[in-house]
Amino acid sequence: MERRKLADAYFDADRVAEHHIESYNNFLDHGMQRVVDEQETIDTDIGEKEGEEEVYVRLGEVSVGKPVVQEADGSEEPLYPQEARLRNITYSAPMDMEMQIVEGDREYEPTTTYIGDLPIMMRSKACNLNSLDKDELIKQGEDPADPGGYFVVNGSERVLMTSEDLAPNTILAERDTKYGDDIQVAKVFSHRQGYRALVVVERGRDSLLEVSFPSVSNNINFVTLVRALGLETDEEIVNSVSNDPEIVKYMLENLEEAEVETQDEAMELLGQKVARGQAEEYQRKRADYVIDRYLLPHLEDVSDNDAEVRLSKAHYLCRMAETCFELALGTRTPDDKDHYSNKRLKISGDLMEDLFRVALNKLARDVKYQLERANMRNRDLRVDTVVRSDVLTERLEHPLATGNWVGGRSGVAQLLDRADHMAVLSHLRRVVSPLSRAQPHFEARDLHSTQWGRICPGETPEGPNCGLVKNFAQSVEISKGVEDKSTLDRKLAELGVESIAHDVDLEEEETGEEQEDEAAETTAEETGEAEAD
C-alpha cells in the first residue's frame, strides 16, 4: 500500500505540466516586475532646447487581471479557454501599470493605465479555470484530466518548448585542437538582464594569454586588460592569478611580454583598439564604455562603485587565466559540456520574461515618441493618451503565434500535438537543444550518465533530431536558482558554513583590540615616566 501511495504521488496528473505552470506563476509574481524595475523610467528628448523642462515617465507596479473578452456592445465578460478556441481569439488578460509623468520639478499624479493584453497559460494562477472543480470544468467544456501548461493564441493551442543551454556565469574549461595546436581555453557566457556576452581567455601557441569579448574585433593581451581594470603592478596580477610556483612561472612569461606598464597606458592602448582613428578623448570614453558594458556584464551588481566593479572583473579574469594554466599543467581536466550540471533549462516563465523585456522596450520607445509629439503640438501631457495598448499586445502575441522568438530563435512555440492524450503529455515535457540538426554532434546526441532520472533514455525521435529533442523522465524535479542572496547566506549559515568576510572582520576586530591595548599600555608607561620625572 505504501508503494502504491508513492506511485500515485509520482504519477499524479497535476505533475505533468507542473514545471511550466510554476515557472509561469513565478513570471507573474516576480519576473514582470523585475523587467519593469530594470526599465525604471522612459526618458524623452524634451528639455534639450533652452527654456524647456526635462520630461520623463517613471514606471511603477505592474499587475495582471483575469482573462476577459470585450463584446460588440462594449461589455466585458469572463473568458474561458473553450470559448477562445471556438471564437479563434487569444486567451489573454489585461495588464495595468502605474505610470507617473515628471516634468522638471513637477510630478504629475501617478496613473494606473491599461498597457496591453498578456496571453495566459492554462491552469496558471491567472487562469479562470484555476478554482473550478471537476463538474464545473466539464460544464465549461474542459477535460478534467487536461494538465494545462499551454496557451490559446488565435484559437490554436500553443506550447513553449523547454530550451536546454549551457550554464551562464560559469567558467568552462576546454582544449582547442582545431588547428593542430593544443590551446587552453576558459570561457564564460556572462548573462545579465537578457543580454548574453561570451568572454574567452585562451593560452595560445606562444604561451601568452589573450582575451576576447563582444564589441572588440581582435583579441586583447591579458596583462593589458587587467591593468586597465585596476591591477597595475606585477605583484598584484600574479597574486590574483595563483600562488602555485608553476603557474607563477607562466605568468612571469606573460609579464615579460607585457605591452604596457601603467593603467593609463593600458586604457590608451585599449582605446586605440576599440576606436581606431578617432580622437584621443573619444577613444578613452569608448574604452570606458566597452569594459563597463560588454566585459563580464553579470558582475555589474557587485557594487555601486565603478572602481570596485572593475577590480572584480579583473579578479574574475585572473580566475579564468588560472583555469587555462591548470589545463596546461594537467592538474585539471576539460569540462564536459554534456554533463547536466553544466546545463540550464529555460522554461515558460524564463522565455516569457525575455519576450516581455523586448515588448516593454518597444512600448517605451512608442511612449517616448507620443510624448514628444504631444509636446511639439502643445498638448497636455497625459499618460492615458500616450500609451497605445496594441503595441505591447502585438509584440507578445505574434511570437507565440509563429514560434519565432526574440534572439532569432525559431520553433520555440509549437502547435500542441492532440493526436491522443499521451501525445499531449509527451509534448508538454519535451526538451530541445539549440544545436544545429545539420551537424553530427555525436557526443551531444549520446545518452549521458547524468541524464539518469532527468531525461527519458528511450523517448527521442529518429532522424536528424535524434538525441537533440528529448523528453523529461517521469520522476524529474526541476529546481530554480535563488534570487535573494540573503536567503542563500542564511541557508549556508544554518548548515554550519562560516563566512570568510566574517572571519576577516573578527580578525580585524581582534587586531584592533590588541592595538588599542598596546596603545593604552604605552600611554600608561609614558605617563608613569612623566610622573617619575
Side-chain angles (χ1 to χ4, degrees):
M1 289 298 294
E2 294 299 323
R3 196 178 303 166
R4 182 67 185 177
K5 288 180 182 178
L6 182 63
D8 288 342
Y10 259 116
F11 297 102
D12 187 80
D14 294 338
R15 296 171 51 85
V16 171
E18 184 183 27
H19 56 288
H20 280 305
I21 296 170
E22 284 190 356
S23 179
Y24 187 81
N25 286 342
N26 183 68
F27 164 68
L28 293 177
D29 291 337
H30 307 291
M32 291 180 67
Q33 191 61 52
R34 184 164 52 242
V35 172
V36 173
D37 292 341
E38 290 170 9
Q39 182 78 32
E40 194 174 1
T41 60
I42 300 174
D43 298 321
T44 68
D45 294 335
I46 303 172
E48 291 186 349
K49 297 179 182 177
E50 290 186 13
E52 282 188 342
E53 291 185 323
E54 183 183 0
V55 175
Y56 64 91
V57 180
R58 185 181 296 141
L59 305 181
E61 188 175 345
V62 63
S63 59
V64 181
K66 291 285 188 177
V68 292
V69 59
Q70 190 168 22
E71 303 295 353
D73 60 358
S75 63
E76 285 189 347
E77 297 291 337
L79 178 65
Y80 290 92
Q82 183 64 4
E83 187 179 353
R85 294 185 189 102
L86 295 173
R87 295 174 62 172
N88 290 334
I89 58 178
T90 300
Y91 186 61
S92 58
M95 287 182 291
D96 295 323
M97 187 189 295
E98 189 181 84
M99 305 174 82
Q100 182 183 25
I101 295 178
V102 181
E103 186 175 357
D105 296 331
R106 179 188 174 192
E107 295 185 357
Y108 289 72
E109 190 69 23
T111 306
T112 300
T113 309
Y114 166 64
I115 59 172
D117 292 326
L118 176 71
I120 298 298
M121 177 179 285
M122 292 274 290
R123 304 298 177 92
S124 67
K125 64 185 300 181
C127 178
N128 285 328
L129 301 177
N130 197 31
S131 58
L132 303 185
D133 59 24
K134 182 177 179 180
D135 293 334
E136 289 173 326
L137 286 171
I138 294 172
K139 186 178 178 181
Q140 292 297 335
E142 296 294 331
D143 180 4
D146 187 82
Y150 57 90
F151 300 86
V152 177
V153 182
N154 298 329
S156 300
E157 296 172 331
R158 312 287 298 190
V159 59
L160 294 182
M161 291 292 95
T162 302
S163 179
E164 185 183 79
D165 208 352
L166 285 173
N169 308 333
T170 304
I171 299 174
L172 298 175
E174 61 182 37
R175 294 182 183 274
D176 188 356
T177 56
K178 187 163 49 177
Y179 301 107
D181 300 299
D182 185 16
I183 297 174
Q184 296 81 41
V185 178
K187 64 181 181 181
V188 59
F189 291 96
S190 183
H191 185 274
R192 181 175 182 265
Q193 296 182 1
Y195 175 68
R196 185 183 175 101
L198 174 61
V199 181
V200 179
V201 175
E202 64 177 40
R203 179 176 176 269
R205 304 182 203 97
D206 49 5
S207 299
L208 296 182
L209 292 169
E210 290 185 328
V211 185
S212 66
F213 59 96
S215 82
V216 179
S217 55
N218 298 319
N219 291 354
I220 298 175
N221 183 272
F222 173 81
V223 176
T224 301
L225 187 56
V226 293
R227 280 203 166 124
L229 291 169
L231 294 179
E232 198 161 5
T233 66
D234 292 357
E235 184 179 4
E236 286 178 328
I237 296 172
V238 171
N239 290 338
S240 297
V241 174
S242 178
N243 294 324
D244 188 326
E246 293 294 326
I247 295 179
V248 170
K249 186 172 70 172
Y250 283 141
M251 273 309 303
L252 292 176
E253 293 177 10
N254 279 268
L255 290 168
E256 287 174 6
E257 301 291 332
E259 303 170 312
V260 293
E261 297 297 330
T262 65
Q263 185 175 4
D264 288 335
E265 289 178 4
M267 288 299 296
E268 184 179 343
L269 182 59
L270 187 62
Q272 293 172 4
K273 288 180 178 291
V274 298
R276 190 180 301 277
Q278 301 293 328
E280 188 174 335
E281 184 180 352
Y282 176 79
Q283 287 182 347
R284 180 60 185 258
K285 284 184 179 178
R286 180 65 182 169
D288 286 330
Y289 180 78
V290 164
I291 61 177
D292 287 338
R293 182 174 177 84
Y294 298 111
L295 177 63
L296 298 170
H298 75 280
L299 295 176
E300 291 296 321
D301 295 330
V302 295
S303 171
D304 294 330
N305 189 321
D306 289 342
E308 289 181 4
V309 173
R310 289 190 179 185
L311 270 177
S312 68
K313 291 183 177 184
H315 289 302
Y316 199 94
L317 288 172
C318 289
R319 179 68 191 91
M320 294 176 74
E322 183 185 23
T323 302
C324 291
F325 292 137
E326 288 173 350
L327 266 181
L329 292 169
T331 56
R332 177 192 179 117
T333 57
D335 289 310
D336 184 1
K337 290 187 290 187
D338 300 311
H339 196 290
Y340 243 70
S341 67
N342 294 326
K343 291 189 177 185
R344 298 292 181 272
L345 299 175
K346 299 196 81 169
I347 319 179
S348 298
D350 307 308
L351 295 168
M352 288 301 295
E353 188 173 331
D354 292 341
L355 184 61
F356 184 69
R357 182 178 287 107
V358 173
L360 187 64
N361 286 335
K362 178 83 171 175
L363 178 68
R365 289 195 296 270
D366 188 70
V367 169
K368 173 179 179 290
Y369 169 74
Q370 297 294 338
L371 275 173
E372 291 169 358
R373 190 172 74 164
N375 179 72
M376 190 171 59
R377 297 179 178 181
N378 295 321
R379 294 177 180 170
D380 291 338
L381 301 180
R382 293 175 53 189
V383 168
D384 53 355
T385 59
V386 298
V387 175
R388 297 192 303 159
S389 59
D390 58 321
V391 173
L392 192 68
T393 303
E394 169 65 21
R395 202 67 186 82
L396 290 172
E397 286 186 5
H398 187 263
L400 275 168
T402 61
N404 298 323
W405 219 252
V406 295
R409 289 172 290 174
S410 60
V412 175
Q414 297 180 3
L415 196 64
L416 183 62
D417 186 358
R418 281 288 187 184
D420 55 28
H421 187 61
M422 291 304 294
V424 174
L425 305 187
S426 173
H427 206 176
L428 288 169
R429 301 173 67 81
R430 198 154 293 168
V431 185
V432 298
S433 170
L435 295 175
S436 170
R437 274 62 174 152
Q439 300 296 324
H441 298 302
F442 294 119
E443 292 182 355
R445 295 172 187 269
D446 283 345
L447 185 65
H448 199 277
S449 58
T450 55
Q451 293 178 0
W452 174 264
R454 299 178 176 92
I455 299 296
C456 178
E459 190 175 6
T460 185
E462 295 181 3
N465 285 327
C466 185
L468 299 182
V469 175
K470 302 179 279 287
N471 288 75
F472 284 133
Q474 185 66 56
S475 59
V476 72
E477 292 282 353
I478 301 174
S479 59
K480 183 153 180 70
V482 179
E483 298 288 343
D484 186 8
K485 293 180 181 177
S486 61
T487 305
L488 182 61
D489 292 340
R490 188 172 64 253
K491 288 290 184 184
L492 290 173
E494 290 173 1
L495 293 170
V497 179
E498 296 181 2
S499 169
I500 296 176
H502 179 65
D503 294 343
V504 171
D505 291 341
L506 288 177
E507 288 175 7
E508 288 177 353
E509 287 176 10
E510 290 172 2
T511 307
E513 289 173 2
E514 290 173 5
Q515 290 174 349
E516 287 175 6
D517 293 341
E518 289 175 5
E521 290 173 7
T522 306
T523 306
E525 288 174 5
E526 290 174 354
T527 306
E529 288 174 4
E531 288 175 356
D533 292 340

